[in-house]
């Protein structure tokens, strides 16, 4: 397992010397290849400007009819600022603070990441750790993502050019969910890699998927799958 990890890192380092090789790299180890039968997945993030801080996003029980916000992913710091995703991401200033101190509150509000839409919330969600992207939830489901070629070039909701897609000369297609949100929702709702794949696929079909420069994700769970 260690040898595989080292080989993957060396390969990524060599590729990075060529600008065409820059991109996130996923690594997966099947349970049959590890000493104790556990499977795991991981990744490196080839993003010099991304926010690498590790944060805990708590899970919980949700009322019937609750909505799960979808927000525009921002890799740079702060990758998210707002409420509902744990204390780490909350603005360090009370919500009811006045507008004194040189407009500091307006500055903080301006940096809050906007929600672009919402989907029905699950009755119960798991907590998970995330860095630039989600990593592992409380039941042991892990994920990694990798850069890859893609022909899907949808636009985020509300961001499509009015006159159509200039790259293809036809009407532009919009979508609600990107890879970061898909990975987060899978972490919140799933205990197995199969559940994660099915959940992300179903959400993409229902609400539309737009790419983060052509990224894809993989998932692993402790029982070797």
């Amino acid at each position: 397992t260690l040898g595989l990890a080292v080989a993957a890192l060396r390969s990524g380092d060599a590729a990075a010397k060529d600008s065409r090789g820059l991109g996130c790299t996923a690594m997966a180890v099947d349970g049959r290849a590890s000493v104790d039968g556990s499977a795991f997945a991981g990744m490196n993030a080839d993003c010099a400007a991304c926010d690498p801080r590790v944060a805990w996003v708590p899970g919980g029980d949700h009322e019937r009819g609750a909505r799960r916000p979808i927000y525009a992913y921002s890799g740079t710091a702060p990758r998210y600022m707002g409420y509902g995703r744990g204390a780490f991401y909350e603005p360090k200033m009370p919500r009811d603070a006045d507008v004194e101190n040189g407009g500091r509150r307006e500055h903080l509000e301006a940096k809050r990441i906007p929600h672009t839409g919402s989907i029905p919330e699950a009755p119960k969600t798991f907590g998970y750790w995330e860095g630039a992207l989600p990593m592992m939830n409380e039941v042991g489901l892990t994920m990694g993502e990798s850069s890859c070629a893609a022909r899907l070039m949808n636009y985020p909701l509300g961001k499509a050019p009015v006159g159509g897609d200039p790259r293809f000369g036809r009407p532009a297609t919009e979508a609600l969910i990107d890879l970061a949100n898909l990975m987060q929702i899978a972490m919140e709702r799933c205990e197995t890699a199969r559940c994660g794949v099915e959940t992300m696929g179903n959400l993409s079909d229902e609400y539309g998927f737009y790419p983060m420069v052509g990224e894809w994700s993989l998932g692993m769970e402790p029982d070797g799958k």
Side-chain angles (χ1 to χ4, degrees):
T1 301
L2 179 59
L4 176 61
V6 172
L9 291 173
R10 286 179 176 173
S11 175
D13 179 64
K17 293 178 180 179
D18 185 334
S19 61
R20 295 171 298 176
L22 289 175
C24 301
T25 302
M27 182 184 71
V29 176
D30 187 272
R32 292 169 294 182
S34 65
V35 173
D36 62 359
S38 298
F40 55 90
M43 60 168 285
N44 76 304
D46 280 355
C47 178
C50 281
D51 183 351
R53 296 173 298 166
V54 176
W56 171 253
V57 180
D61 298 314
H62 307 280
E63 297 181 357
R64 183 186 298 271
R67 306 287 295 182
R68 197 277 187 191
I70 304 296
Y71 64 90
Y73 174 76
S74 173
T76 56
R79 59 176 177 261
Y80 181 80
M81 181 186 291
Y83 298 93
R85 302 194 69 236
F88 180 87
Y89 290 115
E90 293 181 359
K92 307 308 181 201
M93 194 171 188
R95 290 201 207 194
D96 58 354
D98 55 33
V99 191
E100 296 180 1
N101 294 326
R104 182 164 174 257
R105 177 160 176 76
E106 286 123 320
H107 174 69
L108 285 173
E109 291 295 327
K111 290 180 72 64
R112 288 179 62 179
I113 306 302
H115 293 160
T116 57
S118 66
I119 63 173
E121 181 61 280
K124 179 179 176 57
T125 55
F126 300 115
Y128 61 95
W129 292 100
E130 71 175 8
L133 288 168
M135 299 183 294
M136 183 173 69
N137 70 11
E138 64 183 87
V139 293
L141 177 63
T142 62
M143 286 190 181
E145 62 84 26
S146 177
S147 304
C148 65
R151 298 187 66 182
L152 177 65
M153 294 301 289
N154 295 339
Y155 288 87
L157 202 62
K159 300 295 184 180
V162 176
D165 194 327
R167 300 164 299 182
F168 308 114
R170 57 175 183 261
T173 302
E174 294 186 339
L176 176 62
I177 304 180
D178 66 4
L179 181 64
N181 281 276
L182 285 178
M183 293 174 71
Q184 290 167 353
I185 296 169
M187 286 289 188
E188 294 165 3
R189 302 183 179 188
C190 292
E191 297 185 55
T192 67
R194 182 178 295 277
C195 170
V197 171
E198 292 176 348
T199 296
M200 291 189 286
N202 291 337
L203 289 172
S204 297
D205 286 342
E206 184 170 358
Y207 297 100
F209 170 79
Y210 67 91
M212 291 167 47
V213 200
E215 311 284 348
W216 68 281
S217 65
L218 54 86
M220 290 291 175
E221 56 200 83
D223 64 1
K225 298 179 182 178

